[in-house]
Amino acid sequence: VQLVESGGGSVQAGGSLRLSCAADGSIISIAWLGWYRQAPGKERELVASIHRRGNMNYADSVKGRFTVSRDDAKNAVYLQMNSLNVEDTAVYYCSAIRVATPEGVRDYWGQGTQVTVAS
């Protein structure tokens, strides 16, 4: 299974970006899809995640600004980011938690995509 991310880049403060991630492979189901981020000198943190039954989690710092969604037909997850600020600058990682394949169940991570917000 591979996770392919797209949509990162540079934007002015107050702007928007949309991240996409698609999982490719012999996937039976994915429990949680989501996004983490890691800023320079900081630990990786959860940004948002969504369960296949629809439950969602958001970091307090992004509530009301970011929206996570998924398309199970495409094994994809999206992150709509609005009202971006400088503190959102980080490498964003797609995550697929408890991915079931014919070989078993494990977690997968994307390679990361840079999001830079300029003031």
Side-chain angles (χ1 to χ4, degrees):
V1 175
Q2 287 189 321
L3 301 185
V4 180
E5 301 153 332
S6 62
S10 298
V11 66
Q12 292 290 115
S16 298
L17 283 173
R18 178 178 169 87
L19 303 182
S20 300
C21 173
D24 183 23
S26 300
I27 297 169
I28 299 170
S29 65
I30 305 175
W32 288 94
L33 284 165
W35 296 90
Y36 286 69
R37 68 185 181 187
Q38 188 166 19
K42 295 187 177 181
E43 294 186 353
R44 189 174 297 191
E45 63 173 355
L46 172 69
V47 177
S49 62
I50 180 168
H51 191 266
R52 62 188 179 91
R53 293 180 180 174
N55 308 64
M56 289 178 279
N57 296 309
Y58 288 96
D60 287 342
S61 60
V62 307
K63 285 180 180 177
R65 301 188 297 122
F66 291 11
T67 302
V68 65
S69 60
R70 63 187 284 167
D71 182 343
D72 287 334
K74 298 178 180 179
N75 291 318
V77 61
Y78 309 96
L79 186 68
Q80 178 65 44
M81 305 185 292
N82 298 328
S83 302
L84 284 159
N85 57 56
V86 174
E87 289 71 34
D88 295 317
T89 295
V91 177
Y92 284 68
Y93 296 91
C94 175
S95 67
I97 306 301
R98 293 180 58 191
V99 179
T101 69
E103 289 72 42
V105 179
R106 58 161 286 186
D107 302 341
Y108 292 89
W109 292 86
Q111 301 238 353
T113 185
Q114 177 70 44
V115 171
T116 302
V117 184
S119 59

